[in-house]
Amino acid sequence: MFEDVYLWIKALHVIAVIAWMAGMLYLPRLFVYHSEAEIGSKQSETFKVMERRLLKAIINPAMIVTWLAGLYLAWSGHWFSFGWLHVKLALVLAMSAVHGFFSRWLKDFAADRRPRTQKFYRIINEVPTVLMIFIVIMVIVKPF
């Protein structure tokens, strides 16, 4: 019974991670295009709706489920004493911080504030990818 629950939670965790990462890769891409749209234009207003819905309906719930399911898996698998998990948790904390920055920048766009260039958003779009690469390495390779 326990193993069945563990596997279902593991599946839920992987699904949530995929959803979270999809949103974390797409939202800054929307910011790139939004930063190029004229303030007050129909296009700018459409981006505001898309960004808000992506954050509220996909990214936020996926992050919460990722954390809850992941912590359950770490606890039930007795992984907290392993170094790779410590590194993974630090990286996931960093991903959560990036998530927080994205949320803040979404509020800036919603208020028609644009303190950053589209080049900034093109560069920042790579941060979740780099974090994801190292997180996956920690989980799969378990180097220490």
Side-chain angles (χ1 to χ4, degrees):
M1 172 79 172
F2 169 76
E3 190 169 316
D4 287 343
V5 170
Y6 184 87
L7 292 175
W8 279 103
I9 300 294
K10 191 180 212 179
L12 178 65
H13 181 66
V14 171
I15 292 164
V17 168
I18 291 168
W20 189 22
M21 286 309 305
M24 292 292 286
L25 297 172
Y26 187 46
L27 187 58
R29 178 59 39 194
L30 288 176
F31 291 162
V32 168
Y33 300 132
H34 194 167
S35 65
E36 297 172 335
E38 186 177 326
I39 291 175
S41 69
K42 182 175 175 149
Q43 187 180 33
S44 177
E45 297 306 309
T46 300
F47 281 125
K48 288 179 187 180
V49 171
M50 292 171 67
E51 292 158 357
R52 186 183 71 250
R53 287 181 180 169
L54 179 61
L55 184 72
K56 301 291 183 191
I58 296 172
I59 301 174
N60 287 347
M63 182 193 68
I64 292 166
V65 172
T66 295
W67 268 103
L68 293 175
L71 288 172
Y72 172 82
L73 293 170
W75 171 78
S76 64
H78 308 288
W79 298 111
F80 281 109
S81 62
F82 292 86
W84 66 266
L85 183 65
H86 298 164
V87 175
K88 177 194 174 188
L89 288 172
L91 293 166
V92 176
L93 277 171
M95 185 75 76
S96 298
V98 171
H99 179 137
F101 287 123
F102 287 1
S103 297
R104 176 67 187 119
W105 299 335
L106 185 142
K107 290 176 185 176
D108 286 341
F109 276 112
D112 290 324
R113 291 187 302 267
R114 300 192 185 171
R116 292 162 200 84
T117 66
Q118 58 113 339
K119 184 177 180 181
F120 171 84
Y121 296 113
R122 286 184 191 278
I123 293 168
I124 209 73
N125 189 41
E126 303 308 322
V127 173
T129 303
V130 172
L131 289 169
M132 177 191 62
I133 289 167
F134 286 107
I135 291 167
V136 169
I137 289 170
M138 289 301 114
V139 172
I140 302 299
V141 178
K142 295 179 176 69
F144 41 86

PDB file of all heavy atoms in Angstrom, residues 45-57:
ATOM      1  N   GLU A  45      -2.695  44.727 -23.449  1.00  0.00           N
ATOM      2  CA  GLU A  45      -3.757  44.272 -22.548  1.00  0.00           C
ATOM      3  C   GLU A  45      -3.964  42.761 -22.650  1.00  0.00           C
ATOM      4  O   GLU A  45      -4.237  42.096 -21.647  1.00  0.00           O
ATOM      5  CB  GLU A  45      -5.062  45.034 -22.828  1.00  0.00           C
ATOM      6  CG  GLU A  45      -4.969  46.538 -22.566  1.00  0.00           C
ATOM      7  CD  GLU A  45      -4.484  46.880 -21.162  1.00  0.00           C
ATOM      8  OE1 GLU A  45      -5.043  46.343 -20.185  1.00  0.00           O
ATOM      9  OE2 GLU A  45      -3.538  47.680 -21.033  1.00  0.00           O
ATOM     10  N   THR A  46      -3.811  42.222 -23.857  1.00  0.00           N
ATOM     11  CA  THR A  46      -3.912  40.772 -24.047  1.00  0.00           C
ATOM     12  C   THR A  46      -2.787  40.058 -23.308  1.00  0.00           C
ATOM     13  O   THR A  46      -3.013  39.032 -22.649  1.00  0.00           O
ATOM     14  CB  THR A  46      -3.888  40.416 -25.542  1.00  0.00           C
ATOM     15  OG1 THR A  46      -4.996  41.055 -26.186  1.00  0.00           O
ATOM     16  CG2 THR A  46      -3.951  38.914 -25.756  1.00  0.00           C
ATOM     17  N   PHE A  47      -1.574  40.600 -23.398  1.00  0.00           N
ATOM     18  CA  PHE A  47      -0.449  40.005 -22.671  1.00  0.00           C
ATOM     19  C   PHE A  47      -0.703  40.022 -21.165  1.00  0.00           C
ATOM     20  O   PHE A  47      -0.364  39.069 -20.467  1.00  0.00           O
ATOM     21  CB  PHE A  47       0.867  40.718 -22.991  1.00  0.00           C
ATOM     22  CG  PHE A  47       1.464  40.307 -24.298  1.00  0.00           C
ATOM     23  CD1 PHE A  47       1.779  41.250 -25.265  1.00  0.00           C
ATOM     24  CD2 PHE A  47       1.743  38.972 -24.578  1.00  0.00           C
ATOM     25  CE1 PHE A  47       2.339  40.879 -26.473  1.00  0.00           C
ATOM     26  CE2 PHE A  47       2.303  38.582 -25.783  1.00  0.00           C
ATOM     27  CZ  PHE A  47       2.601  39.547 -26.742  1.00  0.00           C
ATOM     28  N   LYS A  48      -1.291  41.075 -20.658  1.00  0.00           N
ATOM     29  CA  LYS A  48      -1.592  41.149 -19.216  1.00  0.00           C
ATOM     30  C   LYS A  48      -2.491  39.994 -18.797  1.00  0.00           C
ATOM     31  O   LYS A  48      -2.264  39.360 -17.756  1.00  0.00           O
ATOM     32  CB  LYS A  48      -2.265  42.479 -18.861  1.00  0.00           C
ATOM     33  CG  LYS A  48      -1.363  43.668 -18.905  1.00  0.00           C
ATOM     34  CD  LYS A  48      -2.145  44.936 -18.570  1.00  0.00           C
ATOM     35  CE  LYS A  48      -1.310  46.165 -18.759  1.00  0.00           C
ATOM     36  NZ  LYS A  48      -2.061  47.396 -18.425  1.00  0.00           N
ATOM     37  N   VAL A  49      -3.512  39.719 -19.595  1.00  0.00           N
ATOM     38  CA  VAL A  49      -4.444  38.627 -19.292  1.00  0.00           C
ATOM     39  C   VAL A  49      -3.722  37.283 -19.380  1.00  0.00           C
ATOM     40  O   VAL A  49      -3.851  36.432 -18.491  1.00  0.00           O
ATOM     41  CB  VAL A  49      -5.663  38.659 -20.240  1.00  0.00           C
ATOM     42  CG1 VAL A  49      -6.525  37.419 -20.076  1.00  0.00           C
ATOM     43  CG2 VAL A  49      -6.482  39.924 -20.006  1.00  0.00           C
ATOM     44  N   MET A  50      -2.961  37.088 -20.435  1.00  0.00           N
ATOM     45  CA  MET A  50      -2.242  35.823 -20.616  1.00  0.00           C
ATOM     46  C   MET A  50      -1.269  35.570 -19.467  1.00  0.00           C
ATOM     47  O   MET A  50      -1.207  34.461 -18.929  1.00  0.00           O
ATOM     48  CB  MET A  50      -1.471  35.842 -21.940  1.00  0.00           C
ATOM     49  CG  MET A  50      -2.350  35.832 -23.175  1.00  0.00           C
ATOM     50  SD  MET A  50      -1.411  36.119 -24.704  1.00  0.00           S
ATOM     51  CE  MET A  50      -0.420  34.632 -24.784  1.00  0.00           C
ATOM     52  N   GLU A  51      -0.516  36.587 -19.087  1.00  0.00           N
ATOM     53  CA  GLU A  51       0.469  36.455 -18.015  1.00  0.00           C
ATOM     54  C   GLU A  51      -0.204  36.138 -16.683  1.00  0.00           C
ATOM     55  O   GLU A  51       0.234  35.247 -15.953  1.00  0.00           O
ATOM     56  CB  GLU A  51       1.293  37.747 -17.903  1.00  0.00           C
ATOM     57  CG  GLU A  51       2.185  37.989 -19.092  1.00  0.00           C
ATOM     58  CD  GLU A  51       2.607  39.429 -19.287  1.00  0.00           C
ATOM     59  OE1 GLU A  51       2.169  40.315 -18.511  1.00  0.00           O
ATOM     60  OE2 GLU A  51       3.379  39.687 -20.232  1.00  0.00           O
ATOM     61  N   ARG A  52      -1.269  36.875 -16.388  1.00  0.00           N
ATOM     62  CA  ARG A  52      -1.978  36.660 -15.118  1.00  0.00           C
ATOM     63  C   ARG A  52      -2.568  35.253 -15.046  1.00  0.00           C
ATOM     64  O   ARG A  52      -2.423  34.563 -14.042  1.00  0.00           O
ATOM     65  CB  ARG A  52      -3.074  37.717 -14.931  1.00  0.00           C
ATOM     66  CG  ARG A  52      -3.757  37.644 -13.562  1.00  0.00           C
ATOM     67  CD  ARG A  52      -4.899  38.638 -13.404  1.00  0.00           C
ATOM     68  NE  ARG A  52      -6.039  38.238 -14.230  1.00  0.00           N
ATOM     69  CZ  ARG A  52      -6.452  38.870 -15.326  1.00  0.00           C
ATOM     70  NH1 ARG A  52      -5.849  39.950 -15.756  1.00  0.00           N
ATOM     71  NH2 ARG A  52      -7.495  38.424 -16.009  1.00  0.00           N
ATOM     72  N   ARG A  53      -3.207  34.827 -16.106  1.00  0.00           N
ATOM     73  CA  ARG A  53      -3.808  33.484 -16.113  1.00  0.00           C
ATOM     74  C   ARG A  53      -2.751  32.390 -16.018  1.00  0.00           C
ATOM     75  O   ARG A  53      -2.948  31.391 -15.316  1.00  0.00           O
ATOM     76  CB  ARG A  53      -4.651  33.290 -17.371  1.00  0.00           C
ATOM     77  CG  ARG A  53      -5.950  34.067 -17.327  1.00  0.00           C
ATOM     78  CD  ARG A  53      -6.770  33.834 -18.558  1.00  0.00           C
ATOM     79  NE  ARG A  53      -8.017  34.587 -18.499  1.00  0.00           N
ATOM     80  CZ  ARG A  53      -8.834  34.739 -19.516  1.00  0.00           C
ATOM     81  NH1 ARG A  53      -8.557  34.185 -20.684  1.00  0.00           N
ATOM     82  NH2 ARG A  53      -9.941  35.427 -19.386  1.00  0.00           N
ATOM     83  N   LEU A  54      -1.649  32.565 -16.714  1.00  0.00           N
ATOM     84  CA  LEU A  54      -0.571  31.583 -16.652  1.00  0.00           C
ATOM     85  C   LEU A  54      -0.043  31.468 -15.229  1.00  0.00           C
ATOM     86  O   LEU A  54       0.131  30.362 -14.711  1.00  0.00           O
ATOM     87  CB  LEU A  54       0.556  31.982 -17.613  1.00  0.00           C
ATOM     88  CG  LEU A  54       1.786  31.083 -17.672  1.00  0.00           C
ATOM     89  CD1 LEU A  54       1.417  29.666 -18.131  1.00  0.00           C
ATOM     90  CD2 LEU A  54       2.834  31.690 -18.607  1.00  0.00           C
ATOM     91  N   LEU A  55       0.186  32.597 -14.580  1.00  0.00           N
ATOM     92  CA  LEU A  55       0.720  32.574 -13.219  1.00  0.00           C
ATOM     93  C   LEU A  55      -0.290  31.980 -12.240  1.00  0.00           C
ATOM     94  O   LEU A  55       0.048  31.089 -11.463  1.00  0.00           O
ATOM     95  CB  LEU A  55       1.125  33.977 -12.777  1.00  0.00           C
ATOM     96  CG  LEU A  55       1.775  34.047 -11.403  1.00  0.00           C
ATOM     97  CD1 LEU A  55       3.176  33.461 -11.437  1.00  0.00           C
ATOM     98  CD2 LEU A  55       1.810  35.479 -10.900  1.00  0.00           C
ATOM     99  N   LYS A  56      -1.513  32.468 -12.280  1.00  0.00           N
ATOM    100  CA  LYS A  56      -2.513  32.067 -11.279  1.00  0.00           C
ATOM    101  C   LYS A  56      -3.058  30.658 -11.496  1.00  0.00           C
ATOM    102  O   LYS A  56      -3.309  29.937 -10.536  1.00  0.00           O
ATOM    103  CB  LYS A  56      -3.694  33.057 -11.263  1.00  0.00           C
ATOM    104  CG  LYS A  56      -3.325  34.484 -10.954  1.00  0.00           C
ATOM    105  CD  LYS A  56      -2.887  34.652  -9.535  1.00  0.00           C
ATOM    106  CE  LYS A  56      -2.601  36.121  -9.257  1.00  0.00           C
ATOM    107  NZ  LYS A  56      -1.952  36.338  -8.004  1.00  0.00           N
ATOM    108  N   ALA A  57      -3.244  30.256 -12.750  1.00  0.00           N
ATOM    109  CA  ALA A  57      -3.893  28.966 -13.022  1.00  0.00           C
ATOM    110  C   ALA A  57      -2.916  27.812 -13.204  1.00  0.00           C
ATOM    111  O   ALA A  57      -3.293  26.659 -13.001  1.00  0.00           O
ATOM    112  CB  ALA A  57      -4.776  29.081 -14.267  1.00  0.00           C
TER     113      ALA A  57
END
